[in-house]
Amino acid sequence: MARSNVCHHDQLMDFFYNNSNITSDDWEQTQLTLVQVVGSICCCFILVANAMIIAAVVTNRRFHYPFYYLLANLAASDFLAGIAYVYLMFKTGKISRDLSLQAYFFRQGLLDVSLSASLINLLVIALERYISIMNWKVHSNLNKRRVTLLIVLVWGISIFLGAVPSLGWNCICSLDLCSKLAPIFSRSYLIFWSVSNLLLFLIMVAVYLRIYIYVMRKTVVMNAHTSAAINRKRTPVKLIKTVMTVLGAFVICWTPGLVILLLDGLKCEQCNVLKFKRWLLLLAVLNSVMNPVIYSYRDEEMWTTIKNLMRCDRSGTRRQRSSKANIQRSSGRETTSSLKENTAEDSKVSTQEMLKS
């Protein structure tokens, strides 16, 4: 009991690794170098690709709607995840044992904030899609102020959740409650973290199933009457498919890790949770690599905008050029008609002057 009442704020992480009986978790130098090289390439792709997604939403006016603002915010969370993975890769192995408590909290906090932001943002997108699809609209009626407040709320909650362990929910003063995957995190915190995220997964899956069933029924009814209405309403269905693909990839990549965290929190001695630690991190990196690919593959205009950005082409997409051309043609017609009117008026005036003379 005396051992659990003593706090160890002045210890390095090596003390807590030994407390959790983690002695064989060090990376071999060759293996660590390979992971850092491959991981750095993946993280560079994550950073560049998600930055391009954000730039595409900012520069293309056709993306200035609530759904795309939230999609850009999801890309921002993946961008933060890329930074977190880079920091983790170069602070792992033997180096992790020499970390101070503050450095370890910061390392894990970056990952927790990026995961929380992605998850909460997906939930907000699910609600936005539900509102718009139930009204059978392409986009919801959320104004920019409300979308901005939602984005600020997403990051505020995410930062708070990522800071919870450093604020006191840890095992620094209760070594018998420490977990294995995160040696200074309490097992109760891992249970809370994994169960709450799994419940959010179930809620989002239920919302999208409800949307999918509604869309299928609506499509059958509209097909029985006219096909033109369906052609006009293909865009909301396409957006739903995009988000469902992103959600499916997120659930597949993160559910195994949350289950392992839950088993560690429940103190499963036979589970050997450390064996799966590196593979779960690989799945997490893979998810952040997949998301920008899904955005651009599912949305042709997004991909066209990204290609224009890479070529530094400011002429815009085909739709933007056609709309500009239409505006120019209409303005040209107005100018021509006005010139004709002015010419006619001038000829009338000159005719009247000649008659008077």
Side-chain angles (χ1 to χ4, degrees):
M1 249 347 245
R3 185 188 177 211
S4 62
N5 291 330
V6 176
C7 295
H8 304 275
H9 295 283
D10 56 339
Q11 297 290 339
L12 296 178
M13 283 304 302
D14 183 62
F15 173 82
F16 295 95
Y17 277 111
N18 292 332
N19 174 70
S20 298
N21 295 322
I22 302 175
T23 56
S24 59
D25 192 45
D26 292 337
W27 297 69
E28 296 179 1
Q29 188 58 41
T30 305
Q31 187 182 25
L32 181 60
T33 303
L34 179 63
V35 168
Q36 288 176 344
V37 171
V38 176
S40 297
I41 295 173
C42 291
C43 289
C44 286
F45 175 81
I46 292 171
L47 296 174
V48 173
N50 285 287
M52 297 296 286
I53 295 291
I54 296 170
V57 173
V58 172
T59 56
N60 192 340
R61 291 186 178 181
R62 295 183 65 87
F63 295 147
H64 291 185
Y65 292 99
F67 171 78
Y68 287 105
Y69 288 139
L70 296 173
L71 196 68
N73 195 44
L74 184 60
S77 64
D78 282 328
F79 187 89
L80 178 62
I83 296 175
Y85 296 144
V86 171
Y87 188 81
L88 176 63
M89 281 188 301
F90 290 95
K91 295 291 183 180
T92 191
K94 294 180 180 180
I95 300 176
S96 60
R97 292 180 173 270
D98 298 327
L99 293 176
S100 64
L101 299 185
Q102 291 75 18
Y104 188 87
F105 278 131
F106 180 76
R107 191 187 79 173
Q108 299 303 120
L110 280 178
L111 288 173
D112 293 346
V113 170
S114 62
L115 172 61
S116 299
S118 298
L119 189 57
I120 299 172
N121 210 75
L122 280 172
L123 181 61
V124 173
I125 292 175
L127 297 176
E128 189 272 341
R129 287 293 85 200
Y130 183 82
I131 294 171
S132 60
I133 290 297
M134 289 300 132
N135 295 319
W136 202 240
K137 293 181 179 179
V138 178
H139 299 289
S140 63
N141 295 325
L142 291 173
N143 55 35
K144 288 186 178 181
R145 183 180 179 183
R146 291 181 179 178
V147 174
T148 303
L149 288 175
L150 282 174
I151 292 174
V152 172
L153 186 63
V154 166
W155 285 104
I157 296 174
S158 303
I159 292 172
F160 173 75
L161 291 176
V164 164
S166 62
L167 295 176
W169 200 346
N170 52 60
C171 62
I172 296 175
C173 300
S174 304
L175 296 180
D176 54 328
L177 302 178
C178 291
S179 61
K180 287 188 175 181
L181 290 174
I184 57 175
F185 285 16
S186 298
R187 290 195 301 273
S188 58
Y189 174 76
L190 294 188
I191 294 174
F192 161 76
W193 177 260
S194 55
V195 170
S196 59
N197 286 334
L198 289 172
L199 285 176
L200 284 178
F201 282 179
L202 291 176
I203 292 172
M204 286 189 290
V205 170
V207 170
Y208 280 111
L209 281 177
R210 173 76 178 91
I211 294 174
Y212 182 77
I213 293 171
Y214 175 81
V215 169
M216 290 299 102
R217 290 178 178 174
K218 189 83 172 179
T219 303
V220 170
V221 173
M222 295 180 71
N223 270 328
H225 294 84
T226 176
S227 61
I230 294 297
N231 291 330
R232 290 195 300 268
K233 293 299 182 179
R234 277 178 181 168
T235 304
V237 177
K238 183 185 290 187
L239 295 182
I240 282 297
K241 290 181 178 179
T242 299
V243 181
M244 289 182 69
T245 306
V246 172
L247 177 63
F250 192 84
V251 170
I252 291 172
C253 292
W254 281 100
T255 299
L258 293 174
V259 172
I260 293 299
L261 283 175
L262 179 60
L263 293 175
D264 188 19
L266 295 174
K267 203 176 181 179
C268 179
E269 298 291 348
Q270 297 80 21
C271 297
N272 193 12
V273 293
L274 293 175
K275 181 180 179 181
F276 305 99
K277 183 177 180 179
R278 298 169 187 176
W279 298 107
L280 298 178
L281 180 61
L282 179 62
L283 269 178
V285 175
L286 180 63
N287 177 241
S288 295
V289 170
M290 290 171 60
N291 282 343
V293 176
I294 294 171
Y295 306 150
S296 56
Y297 175 76
R298 299 293 308 181
D299 195 320
E300 183 179 351
E301 185 154 355
M302 177 70 75
W303 174 235
T304 305
T305 306
I306 291 173
K307 286 192 294 185
N308 289 337
L309 288 172
M310 289 189 292
R311 292 195 299 256
C312 297
D313 185 2
R314 297 184 179 181
S315 60
T317 63
R318 185 181 300 173
R319 291 182 181 178
Q320 289 175 318
R321 291 195 297 270
S322 63
S323 62
K324 289 179 182 177
N326 291 332
I327 293 172
Q328 290 174 355
R329 281 197 294 268
S330 62
S331 62
R333 288 170 185 169
E334 291 175 357
T335 304
T336 304
S337 61
S338 63
L339 287 173
K340 287 180 179 178
E341 290 175 358
N342 292 333
T343 304
E345 290 177 358
D346 292 339
S347 63
K348 287 179 182 178
V349 171
S350 61
T351 303
Q352 290 175 357
E353 289 178 351
M354 289 174 65
L355 290 173
K356 286 180 182 180
S357 63

